Amino acid sequence: MSDIIHLLPDSIANQIAAGEVIQRPASVVKELVENSLDAEAKHIHIIIKDAGRTLIQIIDDGKGMSATDARMAFERHATSKIKTADDLFSLYTRGFRGEALASVAAIAHVELKTRRVEDEVGTLLKIIGSKVESQETVSCAVGTTISVKNIFFNVPARRKFLKSNETERRNIFTEIERIAMVNPDIEFTVIENDIQTLHLPATNLRQRIVQMQGKSINQQLIEINEETTLAKIHGYISTPQFAKKGRANQFFFANNRYIRHPYFHKAVMTAYEPLISATENPNYFIYFEVEPDTIDVNIHPTKTEVKFENERTLWQILMVTVKESLGKFNAIPSIDFDTADAPDIPIFDPSKSTSMPKVSINPNYNPFQTSQGDSYKATKPKLDWEQLYKGFENEAKTSSVSPDVDADLFQTYSENGDSSFLASPEHYQYKQKYILTSVKSGLMIIDQHRAHVRILFDKYLSQVTNRKGISQRVLFPEMIELTSAETSSLSEIMEDMEALGFELSDLGNNTFAIHGIPSELQNIDAVALIRSTIDKNMETGSNVQEQVHESLALSMANFTAIPVGKSLSEEEMLLMVNQLFACQSPNYTPDGKSVITVISDEEMDKKLK
Ligand code: ADP
Ligand code: MG
């Protein structure tokens, strides 16, 4: 038998690759406009006919191309923007794979007219389905004009796949909007079917937002601006009064690219939480600038997902930044801040060594075995949530805490030396919601539910990452019926669920049997827990494993933490406090809510003067 493997002709390879980059007219608009921006154009015209089906033409006044470069530009992997692999990680420009023009030329009739300022004449190049039809010199203005006609003329399946003009048009405007919002200093003009439908003169960011979102937004914009060593964050958020039901204008950008980031969205919503109702949405336009090598811009040019290094710290910074800006605007009652709600977030500075505050804890201490005699033992609480702590006592003995904890808090605890301190602070439960205790600098108030969320989150996260969860088989497996979307979400997290101790078997038809559950969750409604975990996973929509783990651990923690309204014995409070302070970040829940606040002695003295 003769060999059967042969290489595809370039034109077909280009057509296949084009499917990745160019899905619809909007992708052409995006790629071409980004090229114009990379070429430092100041004025960009976007001309569209029939929602891009018949014509997409981009006219720019950028630096243009030489005759040779014009020809080269359509070769696959032809780019003037990367020379070494390192460039891939430090690029600030937009498309960077040298694939856009090759892809566009593979699936349309393309005409390129371009001239550099130093050239007398320009170049006119015509390409149809990757094949160069003609190249000639022409006289033309400095800059580049690219016309893309009859998109997908040679890929009928794709052409058929295009949606209604209205939908394709909306997609085009979505792309233009995302680009315009990061380039306020560039003038954009859109002409559709010979009528000018959008004109954005060059301006500043605030005015660009107003141009795009309508005049009425101006009065509701609050500026945010924060500079840390991890990131610069700036932009605008809306005053809470303008939050609206349903969809709002919510934009994140990282290094001048539009990104989707459900996790950071939560940070913003957390900051607004006390001010708006759960069904309302604020507008926001938030721009991150980070070192390019600390962000993993998905190499795929059409994707908008990115992963930041230090995402959890950035979450906190973002949340506090938004909260403070709302506060400065007097949107939040000032008491929220005065009473120590917003401790400074330490910015990691590798050049300085941070000394860790130490807590010394008696490793033999067990709050359920007191030295106060047998009579006391007899009253050992028998609460059902007690077993949530099982196997946890050991972890509470960790002896170092992270520097983001007010060192003062610990002094009280460590001053008295080992075991004695554990017994010394008195705890008082207030309205079955808060644990009050005295610390060196004043009165510490701990939210019992949030404290427990923090404790359990750390525990579950370590279980899921270390694959350490212990499963308990159930006698009578319960069934859980899902939709197909839920099933596919479950399959994404199945392995991690198993790591926590769930045992599920697929019965087909989107039905699963629950054979085992994590051993510490015995009195929990497993079906409801699995459902809420799936919901959470669908909501965050992430498939970055670290985020999946966190989201899983958080939904489990939220579900299983003791609620407000639960009365706690002295031992339980003590245990909770000790476990909380054994956590790396006791100050906040994983989703950024304050766990602890301290009312200082001075504040109290002042109030009682
Ligand atoms: P990439 O943008 O990833 O480099 P493209 O296929 O989009 O790949 O473009 C290939 C090259 O063509 C670019 O690197 C650039 O040198 C040149 N080019 C494309 N569009 C323009 C333009 N509007 N003005 C000047 N040069 C351009
Ligand atoms: Mg490009």
Side-chain angles (χ1 to χ4, degrees), residues 439-484:
V439 291
K440 194 176 175 210
S441 57
L443 173 64
M444 180 163 67
I445 303 169
I446 301 172
D447 183 305
Q448 68 184 48
H449 172 72
R450 291 178 180 181
H452 203 203
V453 168
R454 164 51 73 189
I455 293 164
L456 293 175
F457 172 82
D458 284 16
K459 173 187 180 174
Y460 295 141
L461 188 61
S462 121
Q463 280 183 355
V464 69
T465 43
N466 302 322
R467 323 244 125 212
K468 282 266 177 58
I470 295 163
S471 184
Q472 173 85 44
R473 297 283 294 188
V474 295
L475 233 38
F476 305 103
E478 265 186 284
M479 302 294 176
I480 177 165
E481 274 177 50
L482 304 173
T483 66
S484 36

Side-chain angles (χ1 to χ4, degrees), residues 338-390:
D338 294 347
T339 54
D341 190 47
D344 283 340
I345 291 172
I347 299 311
F348 178 64
D349 180 351
S351 64
K352 286 188 198 133
S353 71
T354 325
S355 67
M356 291 281 201
K358 290 274 190 287
V359 194
S360 49
I361 293 176
N362 175 5
N364 299 319
Y365 178 76
N366 176 342
F368 295 114
Q369 284 170 9
T370 76
S371 55
Q372 291 177 298
D374 286 345
S375 62
Y376 206 84
K377 246 183 213 159
T379 64
K380 176 181 159 184
K382 277 257 181 282
L383 295 175
D384 57 353
W385 60 269
E386 184 190 322
Q387 59 178 317
L388 294 178
Y389 287 134
K390 237 192 254 160

